[in-house]
Every structure is written in C-alpha cells, then in structure tokens.
Amino acid sequence: MKTKVNWKSVFTVMGAVLAFNIGTGFATGQEVMQYFSVFGWWSVFTGLAFTVTMAVGIYCFASASEKHNLTNGEQVLKYYLGNVLGTIINYFYIFYLYMCVIVMYSGAASALHEQYNAPQWVGAAIIAALCCVTSLLGLKNIVNIISKIGPVLILIALGISLIAVIQGIGNGGLQEGAKLVAEGKIEHMKASNSWLIAGIILATSTILWYPNFAVELKQENTMKDLMIGQTIGNFLVGASEVVMGFAMIANMAAVANLDVPFLYVASKLFKGFGAVYALMIFAALYTTTCPLLWSSITPFAKDGTKKYKLLVVIGTIVGFLVAMTVPYDLIMNYVWVISGWVGVGVTAVMVVRVIYDRIQESRVRS
C-alpha cells in the first residue's frame, strides 16, 4: 500500500534544507558571484546542475540509511567507500564542516563591516555567540527553529532580486552587465571556468554537509516525504541563486569587488534597506552555522552531553579566532572549491553503488 504524503513533514524538510543551504555565501552574494554571475546567461544551467546534483546526493545518504539501518554519517560513508577510505573522508568531512563554520563567522564580520563600518570582530562575535547558545540546545531544537526562518529568507532575497532584474532589464543594466562578463572585463574569483562544473562542485561541496543531517532527517521522516521536501528545497535554492546572479549582473560594475555584493543591490533598491538586509544576512548565517557546528561536534560527543557542550564552546572560540585572521573571499573560495572536488568523488561513488545495488536487487527478484 502506498504511503500518503505528510505535507507537514515535507514542508519541515524543505524549510530545513532551505535554511541549511542559504548561509553566508548565499546571503552575502559572494557565493552567487563566484558560481553564477561570472557565467552570465549560462548561470541558468549552473542552477540546474546544482539542483539535480543535490537531490541525487541527499537521496544516496538517505537511501543507505533506510535500507541498511545506518544511524549516522560515518556509517553511511563507510558503507559507500569502505572502512579505510570512508574513515578518511569522514574526518575530512568533519574538518570541512568546521571550516565552513569559520567561513560563516568571517561572512558575518564582513557584512557588519561593510554596512555599519563596525570592527570585523563584532559581527563574528555576535553570530558565534548566537550559534553557540542554540547548538547547546541540540539538533531537534535547531531544526524546529531554522525550518521556519529559511523559507522567509528565500522569499525576501528572491523578491529583491526580481525587482533588481526587472529594473536592470528596463535601464539596460542587465544587458550591459552580461556583456561585461561575456567579454571578460570583470575580474572576480571563479569557482571554475565551466558553468557546469561550477554547479556540480557547489552542490558536492554542500552535499558534504549532509551525511549526518540527512540521516537524522530520514529517521524523523518517511523516504517519500524526505525526497519531496529536499527536492523542492534544493530547486528553490538553485532558482533563487540564478535570479540573484542576474540581479548582480545588472549591477556588475559596482559589485564586482565587494565582499558582500548583494547588500549593495538591496541598499540600492530601497533607501535604508541595507540595514535591514544586514540583519537578514545574520539570520541566514545563523540558520546554516547552527547545524554545521552541531555536525562538526557530534562525531566526537553525543548530543546533549557535558562533553558535547564543552566542545561546542571550545569550537566556537577557536573558530572565531581563525575567522579574524583570514580574508573572507579567500577562505570561502578555497574551502568551497577543494571540498567540492572531494564531494564530486564521493557523489560519483555513491551513485555507482546505488545503481549497482538496484541491478543486484532486480536480479534477485527475477
């Protein structure tokens, strides 16, 4: 008998995926610049590549968890990669998650500095403190909080972007910006020279956030609800990044050298809105950093224990100190791209294993 779709679960999963994905790179626009805007009109296909790759990767994690009763990300990685390589990738994954936490702190520092000219440490200290306190509450409370914030942030960012794109079409800014990109007159960091590779490695770097998170979501939801929710969520993220990319193309000459380019777009559209959007960036950072910090700590201590709480506090302090010593755009570029290529390998192996398992299952049934 077919199981009915629980739409409350679907929207909770969708909200959690949205919130998890729209961190510092998305909210500040720096990720959008490096993976979308630099490819001009071709960025539409970057978004498509991202959406498909994300959906496949999360399915692989959740499917292994369901079929083999795996209860954490390490078990899933070992299932697909073997004990030795699985252990190596698991520790890389933990290190990567923690580096992403540092990127989030650094993004908060840049956002507050560009909007209010505040010292760099202020923004990083605020987001670090908020995420530390929330992470101490455990994963269930984190998901309940961020699943409600994520959709709101996406809608606001999408609304701003659509207005900017429409204005850009009317005043010729979009066409002019796309021409500057096509002629190579804009110097900005690129994730790759290929729009296809950029979309794939953006997804595969994000997929490495998900081993533990996907398994936990699977334990709380049916496979059908999880897949519907995560597919909708990832489609909305990809589509929003494409539209945001066009919004920044329409303002390319002004935003190409900014750490927080989307803040400029928001400020230009609505007088005084820059201050409001700076708070939105903090909300986006908050929704992503909390589960990242949780995921980088739980491999070493069970959620809710004294050891877990101690490591959360220590991890917060160390991450803050590192974020204050490395430039934001540089650390984001290196962390995302390197992890993206590792994620390509992991995702490819998982897909091959899933296909192999399907073939074996069909042979057994026949």
Side-chain angles (χ1 to χ4, degrees):
M1 186 176 73
K2 292 184 179 180
T3 58
K4 292 184 178 180
V5 175
N6 183 333
W7 287 104
K8 182 178 180 181
S9 294
V10 166
F11 286 115
T12 297
V13 171
M14 181 198 74
V17 168
L18 286 175
F20 203 10
N21 284 357
I22 56 172
T24 179
F26 178 93
T28 62
Q30 187 60 232
E31 172 185 292
V32 180
M33 282 290 293
Q34 294 189 23
Y35 287 84
F36 290 85
S37 299
V38 292
F39 298 109
W41 304 119
W42 291 101
S43 63
V44 171
F45 299 103
T46 304
L48 181 61
F50 166 83
T51 301
V52 172
T53 307
M54 279 296 301
V56 170
I58 296 178
Y59 169 78
C60 290
F61 288 133
S63 176
S65 172
E66 180 183 51
K67 290 188 175 182
H68 304 283
N69 197 29
L70 306 179
T71 58
N72 60 57
E74 181 178 5
Q75 292 175 352
V76 171
L77 290 172
K78 286 182 177 179
Y79 167 75
Y80 282 116
L81 304 173
N83 286 334
V84 176
L85 185 57
T87 299
I88 293 172
I89 295 299
N90 183 59
Y91 280 107
F92 172 84
Y93 143 75
I94 295 168
F95 173 74
Y96 164 60
L97 290 178
Y98 188 62
M99 290 303 296
C100 289
V101 171
I102 295 172
V103 171
M104 302 301 163
Y105 293 167
S106 183
S110 294
L112 215 59
H113 176 70
E114 287 195 6
Q115 177 60 37
Y116 299 107
N117 201 30
Q120 291 278 352
W121 65 268
V122 174
I126 292 173
I127 200 68
L130 287 172
C131 291
C132 179
V133 172
T134 305
S135 296
L136 291 173
L137 299 175
L139 180 67
K140 187 173 183 179
N141 286 294
I142 291 173
V143 172
N144 286 337
I145 293 170
I146 69 173
S147 65
K148 296 174 178 63
I149 298 174
V152 175
L153 295 176
I154 281 279
L155 287 173
I156 294 174
L158 190 57
I160 294 170
S161 299
L162 285 171
I163 295 171
V165 169
I166 292 170
Q167 288 187 352
I169 293 172
N171 60 28
L174 182 60
Q175 295 88 329
E176 181 62 29
K179 184 179 179 181
L180 291 175
V181 172
E183 293 176 352
K185 294 181 179 179
I186 296 298
E187 293 186 4
H188 195 280
M189 282 187 181
K190 286 185 177 182
S192 169
N193 289 323
S194 163
W195 55 263
L196 174 62
I197 298 300
I200 291 173
I201 65 173
L202 176 59
T204 53
S205 64
T206 307
I207 283 170
L208 286 180
W209 293 0
Y210 275 91
N212 275 329
F213 200 59
V215 171
E216 291 288 341
L217 287 175
K218 175 60 196 69
Q219 292 177 349
E220 297 291 331
N221 303 277
T222 67
M223 192 67 178
K224 179 183 284 188
D225 293 344
L226 173 62
M227 283 305 299
I228 294 173
Q230 70 102 345
T231 301
I232 295 173
N234 284 311
F235 172 78
L236 290 174
V237 172
S240 297
E241 296 218 40
V242 170
V243 178
M244 285 178 70
F246 285 166
M248 284 185 286
I249 289 173
N251 295 275
M252 184 57 78
V255 304
N257 296 315
L258 297 178
D259 274 349
V260 192
F262 199 64
L263 183 58
Y264 172 88
V265 175
S267 300
K268 182 182 176 183
L269 287 180
F270 305 104
K271 185 176 181 181
F273 189 73
V276 176
Y277 192 74
L279 296 177
M280 288 178 55
I281 291 175
F282 263 74
L285 290 165
Y286 169 75
T287 62
T288 301
T289 310
C290 289
L292 283 175
L293 184 60
W294 177 90
S295 295
S296 63
I297 297 299
T298 49
F300 304 103
K302 187 177 180 181
D303 189 347
T305 62
K306 289 183 179 180
K307 183 180 179 182
Y308 165 81
K309 293 177 180 179
L310 177 63
L311 289 178
V312 166
V313 174
I314 293 173
T316 298
I317 294 172
V318 172
F320 167 78
L321 294 175
V322 175
M324 292 297 92
T325 61
V326 184
Y328 169 54
D329 59 344
L330 183 65
I331 190 172
M332 200 202 85
N333 183 269
Y334 277 95
V335 170
W336 257 236
V337 172
I338 291 172
S339 61
W341 282 110
V342 173
V344 166
V346 173
T347 305
V349 171
M350 291 196 301
V351 170
V352 171
R353 180 62 186 270
V354 168
I355 294 172
Y356 173 80
D357 288 347
R358 291 287 185 275
I359 294 173
Q360 292 299 105
E361 289 170 6
S362 65
R363 287 177 178 174
V364 171
R365 286 196 296 267
S366 62

